Amino acid sequence: MAKKKSDLERSIEKWKKNNPDLAITFDDKYAIFKVGVLLKQAREDAGLSQRELAEMINTKRTAISRLENHAQDVKLSTIEKVSHALGKHLELRIA
């Protein structure tokens, strides 16, 4: 049985249909956005504040905030460092 689409998924499909030129880059930009969301979720699941995580990886709280809110042009090594500090591992997939 097919999974029922969420309101967000339906909205994205509609937006892509109505904006074909922008839809081409949407998936890549959405993937970058999701990196920040996933990092924040993992940090919160670990019960850590941004400051605590920053101390664990020897950086500033503002750097963690930038990762979570604007995960653009971030080094893979930084994501790996954060992942390990949170007790997670990094999986990378090119699709």
Side-chain angles (χ1 to χ4, degrees), residues 15 19-27:
W15 180 85
N19 301 281
D21 292 338
L22 296 175
I24 294 168
T25 60
F26 176 84
D27 291 330

Side-chain angles (χ1 to χ4, degrees), residues 69-84:
N69 296 300
H70 315 286
Q72 296 174 335
D73 299 325
V74 62
K75 292 181 180 179
L76 189 57
S77 60
T78 301
I79 297 173
E80 185 176 36
K81 198 183 298 185
V82 170
S83 298
H84 288 168

